[in-house]
Every structure is written in C-alpha cells, then in structure tokens.
Amino acid sequence: MPLSPLEHDRRYGELDQVMRAYAGQPADDTPERPGEALTAYLRHTWHTRPWALATAERQLREYADNPPGRLRLRLGEFYAVPDVGLPESGVQQWLRCLAGHIGRSIEEGRVPPPAAPATHWEWHARFPELGQLLGGWFSQDMPDEFDDHEAALDDYRAATDPQLVARLTGELHELLALDLGETDYAVAVAELGMEVDPPAPYSPSGWLALVADRLTTPRPEYGTPA
C-alpha cells in the first residue's frame, strides 16, 4: 500500500522539497558546481529553514544508496523520483552529487548570497501568499468573475483570514524592496500565477504597490461610506 503522509514526510519529505525545486529546471549539477535549481533551494532554505539542510543531505544519500527494490515497487511503498531528464542509470549518482553539495554548504558555510528568486519553485517558496492571491484571484478567469481588479482584491480580503492578509502585505513589500526592473516584475507576477495585465495605467510594480496600500487601509463596514 502507498506510504502514509507521516511515513512519507519522515523518510522523504525534504528529498521531495529538493526534487520540487527542479520543476521546469535542468538537472545540470556537476561535482564542481551546483545548478541553478539546487542553488535556489539552498538560498531559500538557508534563509527560512537552515536546520532542514542536514535532513535533505541524509535523505538524498540514503535514497541513492538504497533505491527501492522490487518488493517496495510492487507495494507502492516508495518515493518516485520525478523525471529530471537523466537516464535511470545516472539518477543515483546525481542524487549523491546533490547530497555532496548540500553537505559542503553546511560544513563550509557556503551560503548563496541574497538575490531575487531564479526559478518557478523559488518564487512560490518565497512568496506563497502572493502566489495564492495572483493565481487564485487574477487568473485568466478574473474578467468573467469580477467587475475589475479592485473587486477581485475585495473578494480576496473578504475570504481570507486577516493574518494571511497581513502576511501577503509583508510579501508585497519584500518583493518591491528587490527593486527590480519592470520587465522583471512582469516575470515575477507571471511566475506567481497572474494571467491578466495590471489595470491601466499601472505598471506591474506600481500595481503591486497599490495592492499593498489597499491591504493596509481598513475596509469600510457595510453601509458605511468608503
């Protein structure tokens, strides 16, 4: 039978996080240099959950040294490494390569310097609530569901716990503090799930600043003039 959620996380939880970091990214790591996906994982995890790195190193190495045998494959009690474009014969060596980079990062303090997210996974790992807002309320269906951007934002506020709204506000200020160019902000909101243009006459960063301002303005009570 398949692994229970608890057993999955205990044996493969952080391995799965590393693998998710490779979504849409090549497995181009070499023994001398980690690829962009692993660098993004290291950068974000050092900043948010540094204690998880040792778990990732152990789970990667254990999986590489003890891949699932026929019985576990038949019973479904294993973690399936996603297709990363490598031949099956090269996956174990690649996993050991990743474990080596993570181990050296811990032992030698090799911490990637702060930077804007470089991969789809890193954008969502760093700005999860903004991804919820943009992907859930500003998808291509927004014009069919709401009169305009402001109505969609009002619906988000009405449906979302105030603590999460506060978290979103912090993420917006963090994103704006990256001081990116407008093209890069357009890439950022697209990576985070936005499928409609900002309302005229706003640029992507201008609209994000407007949203942050709206979220810090108390919503009027029903029947009270705005």
Side-chain angles (χ1 to χ4, degrees), residues 28-42:
D28 56 355
D29 313 87
T30 67
E32 296 76 27
R33 180 190 62 82
E36 189 168 63
L38 185 60
T39 299
Y41 169 81
L42 287 169

PDB file of all heavy atoms in Angstrom, residues 28-42:
ATOM      1  N   ASP A  28      21.392  19.941 -14.138  1.00  0.00           N
ATOM      2  CA  ASP A  28      22.694  20.199 -14.745  1.00  0.00           C
ATOM      3  C   ASP A  28      23.806  20.375 -13.717  1.00  0.00           C
ATOM      4  O   ASP A  28      24.849  20.969 -14.008  1.00  0.00           O
ATOM      5  CB  ASP A  28      22.618  21.444 -15.630  1.00  0.00           C
ATOM      6  CG  ASP A  28      22.113  22.675 -14.875  1.00  0.00           C
ATOM      7  OD1 ASP A  28      21.731  22.540 -13.693  1.00  0.00           O
ATOM      8  OD2 ASP A  28      22.093  23.769 -15.462  1.00  0.00           O
ATOM      9  N   ASP A  29      23.596  19.834 -12.517  1.00  0.00           N
ATOM     10  CA  ASP A  29      24.618  19.935 -11.476  1.00  0.00           C
ATOM     11  C   ASP A  29      25.838  19.090 -11.851  1.00  0.00           C
ATOM     12  O   ASP A  29      25.724  18.028 -12.452  1.00  0.00           O
ATOM     13  CB  ASP A  29      24.054  19.434 -10.145  1.00  0.00           C
ATOM     14  CG  ASP A  29      22.681  20.016  -9.853  1.00  0.00           C
ATOM     15  OD1 ASP A  29      21.677  19.426 -10.313  1.00  0.00           O
ATOM     16  OD2 ASP A  29      22.611  21.055  -9.190  1.00  0.00           O
ATOM     17  N   THR A  30      26.990  19.580 -11.476  1.00  0.00           N
ATOM     18  CA  THR A  30      28.230  18.827 -11.643  1.00  0.00           C
ATOM     19  C   THR A  30      28.905  18.725 -10.275  1.00  0.00           C
ATOM     20  O   THR A  30      28.563  19.469  -9.352  1.00  0.00           O
ATOM     21  CB  THR A  30      29.184  19.535 -12.630  1.00  0.00           C
ATOM     22  OG1 THR A  30      29.627  20.775 -12.038  1.00  0.00           O
ATOM     23  CG2 THR A  30      28.482  19.824 -13.950  1.00  0.00           C
ATOM     24  N   PRO A  31      29.863  17.805 -10.120  1.00  0.00           N
ATOM     25  CA  PRO A  31      30.556  17.724  -8.835  1.00  0.00           C
ATOM     26  C   PRO A  31      31.232  19.036  -8.431  1.00  0.00           C
ATOM     27  O   PRO A  31      31.414  19.314  -7.244  1.00  0.00           O
ATOM     28  CB  PRO A  31      31.590  16.616  -9.067  1.00  0.00           C
ATOM     29  CG  PRO A  31      30.986  15.756 -10.134  1.00  0.00           C
ATOM     30  CD  PRO A  31      30.267  16.707 -11.036  1.00  0.00           C
ATOM     31  N   GLU A  32      31.578  19.864  -9.403  1.00  0.00           N
ATOM     32  CA  GLU A  32      32.254  21.128  -9.105  1.00  0.00           C
ATOM     33  C   GLU A  32      31.285  22.275  -8.821  1.00  0.00           C
ATOM     34  O   GLU A  32      31.641  23.221  -8.115  1.00  0.00           O
ATOM     35  CB  GLU A  32      33.150  21.539 -10.275  1.00  0.00           C
ATOM     36  CG  GLU A  32      34.303  20.590 -10.555  1.00  0.00           C
ATOM     37  CD  GLU A  32      33.851  19.314 -11.268  1.00  0.00           C
ATOM     38  OE1 GLU A  32      32.834  19.357 -11.987  1.00  0.00           O
ATOM     39  OE2 GLU A  32      34.511  18.267 -11.060  1.00  0.00           O
ATOM     40  N   ARG A  33      30.048  22.190  -9.336  1.00  0.00           N
ATOM     41  CA  ARG A  33      29.151  23.351  -9.255  1.00  0.00           C
ATOM     42  C   ARG A  33      27.691  22.905  -9.173  1.00  0.00           C
ATOM     43  O   ARG A  33      27.230  22.112  -9.992  1.00  0.00           O
ATOM     44  CB  ARG A  33      29.346  24.210 -10.512  1.00  0.00           C
ATOM     45  CG  ARG A  33      28.482  25.453 -10.564  1.00  0.00           C
ATOM     46  CD  ARG A  33      28.577  26.093 -11.947  1.00  0.00           C
ATOM     47  NE  ARG A  33      28.090  25.206 -12.998  1.00  0.00           N
ATOM     48  CZ  ARG A  33      26.802  25.045 -13.306  1.00  0.00           C
ATOM     49  NH1 ARG A  33      25.874  25.709 -12.636  1.00  0.00           N
ATOM     50  NH2 ARG A  33      26.446  24.215 -14.276  1.00  0.00           N
ATOM     51  N   PRO A  34      26.950  23.415  -8.189  1.00  0.00           N
ATOM     52  CA  PRO A  34      25.519  23.126  -8.171  1.00  0.00           C
ATOM     53  C   PRO A  34      24.813  23.906  -9.274  1.00  0.00           C
ATOM     54  O   PRO A  34      25.216  25.022  -9.628  1.00  0.00           O
ATOM     55  CB  PRO A  34      25.075  23.617  -6.788  1.00  0.00           C
ATOM     56  CG  PRO A  34      26.069  24.681  -6.425  1.00  0.00           C
ATOM     57  CD  PRO A  34      27.366  24.239  -7.037  1.00  0.00           C
ATOM     58  N   GLY A  35      23.773  23.328  -9.840  1.00  0.00           N
ATOM     59  CA  GLY A  35      22.995  24.012 -10.864  1.00  0.00           C
ATOM     60  C   GLY A  35      22.093  25.075 -10.267  1.00  0.00           C
ATOM     61  O   GLY A  35      22.043  25.286  -9.050  1.00  0.00           O
ATOM     62  N   GLU A  36      21.347  25.751 -11.126  1.00  0.00           N
ATOM     63  CA  GLU A  36      20.509  26.867 -10.681  1.00  0.00           C
ATOM     64  C   GLU A  36      19.406  26.407  -9.738  1.00  0.00           C
ATOM     65  O   GLU A  36      19.073  27.096  -8.767  1.00  0.00           O
ATOM     66  CB  GLU A  36      19.905  27.575 -11.896  1.00  0.00           C
ATOM     67  CG  GLU A  36      19.201  28.880 -11.553  1.00  0.00           C
ATOM     68  CD  GLU A  36      18.867  29.691 -12.786  1.00  0.00           C
ATOM     69  OE1 GLU A  36      18.067  29.204 -13.614  1.00  0.00           O
ATOM     70  OE2 GLU A  36      19.394  30.811 -12.925  1.00  0.00           O
ATOM     71  N   ALA A  37      18.822  25.228 -10.001  1.00  0.00           N
ATOM     72  CA  ALA A  37      17.734  24.742  -9.153  1.00  0.00           C
ATOM     73  C   ALA A  37      18.225  24.467  -7.742  1.00  0.00           C
ATOM     74  O   ALA A  37      17.580  24.860  -6.756  1.00  0.00           O
ATOM     75  CB  ALA A  37      17.118  23.491  -9.761  1.00  0.00           C
ATOM     76  N   LEU A  38      19.362  23.782  -7.597  1.00  0.00           N
ATOM     77  CA  LEU A  38      19.876  23.487  -6.259  1.00  0.00           C
ATOM     78  C   LEU A  38      20.336  24.763  -5.572  1.00  0.00           C
ATOM     79  O   LEU A  38      20.149  24.926  -4.355  1.00  0.00           O
ATOM     80  CB  LEU A  38      21.022  22.483  -6.338  1.00  0.00           C
ATOM     81  CG  LEU A  38      21.558  22.023  -4.968  1.00  0.00           C
ATOM     82  CD1 LEU A  38      20.455  21.362  -4.152  1.00  0.00           C
ATOM     83  CD2 LEU A  38      22.740  21.082  -5.126  1.00  0.00           C
ATOM     84  N   THR A  39      20.916  25.690  -6.316  1.00  0.00           N
ATOM     85  CA  THR A  39      21.323  26.965  -5.726  1.00  0.00           C
ATOM     86  C   THR A  39      20.108  27.709  -5.169  1.00  0.00           C
ATOM     87  O   THR A  39      20.156  28.293  -4.081  1.00  0.00           O
ATOM     88  CB  THR A  39      22.043  27.829  -6.770  1.00  0.00           C
ATOM     89  OG1 THR A  39      23.220  27.138  -7.219  1.00  0.00           O
ATOM     90  CG2 THR A  39      22.453  29.174  -6.185  1.00  0.00           C
ATOM     91  N   ALA A  40      18.992  27.676  -5.919  1.00  0.00           N
ATOM     92  CA  ALA A  40      17.765  28.318  -5.440  1.00  0.00           C
ATOM     93  C   ALA A  40      17.261  27.643  -4.174  1.00  0.00           C
ATOM     94  O   ALA A  40      16.836  28.315  -3.221  1.00  0.00           O
ATOM     95  CB  ALA A  40      16.690  28.273  -6.534  1.00  0.00           C
ATOM     96  N   TYR A  41      17.300  26.303  -4.147  1.00  0.00           N
ATOM     97  CA  TYR A  41      16.883  25.581  -2.942  1.00  0.00           C
ATOM     98  C   TYR A  41      17.765  25.948  -1.756  1.00  0.00           C
ATOM     99  O   TYR A  41      17.258  26.218  -0.658  1.00  0.00           O
ATOM    100  CB  TYR A  41      16.936  24.066  -3.181  1.00  0.00           C
ATOM    101  CG  TYR A  41      16.783  23.266  -1.915  1.00  0.00           C
ATOM    102  CD1 TYR A  41      15.523  23.024  -1.369  1.00  0.00           C
ATOM    103  CD2 TYR A  41      17.905  22.779  -1.240  1.00  0.00           C
ATOM    104  CE1 TYR A  41      15.388  22.309  -0.191  1.00  0.00           C
ATOM    105  CE2 TYR A  41      17.770  22.069  -0.063  1.00  0.00           C
ATOM    106  CZ  TYR A  41      16.515  21.836   0.462  1.00  0.00           C
ATOM    107  OH  TYR A  41      16.381  21.144   1.644  1.00  0.00           O
ATOM    108  N   LEU A  42      19.068  25.981  -1.964  1.00  0.00           N
ATOM    109  CA  LEU A  42      19.984  26.333  -0.874  1.00  0.00           C
ATOM    110  C   LEU A  42      19.753  27.764  -0.392  1.00  0.00           C
ATOM    111  O   LEU A  42      19.712  28.030   0.816  1.00  0.00           O
ATOM    112  CB  LEU A  42      21.436  26.178  -1.342  1.00  0.00           C
ATOM    113  CG  LEU A  42      21.939  24.744  -1.509  1.00  0.00           C
ATOM    114  CD1 LEU A  42      23.281  24.745  -2.237  1.00  0.00           C
ATOM    115  CD2 LEU A  42      22.076  24.053  -0.155  1.00  0.00           C
TER     116      LEU A  42
END
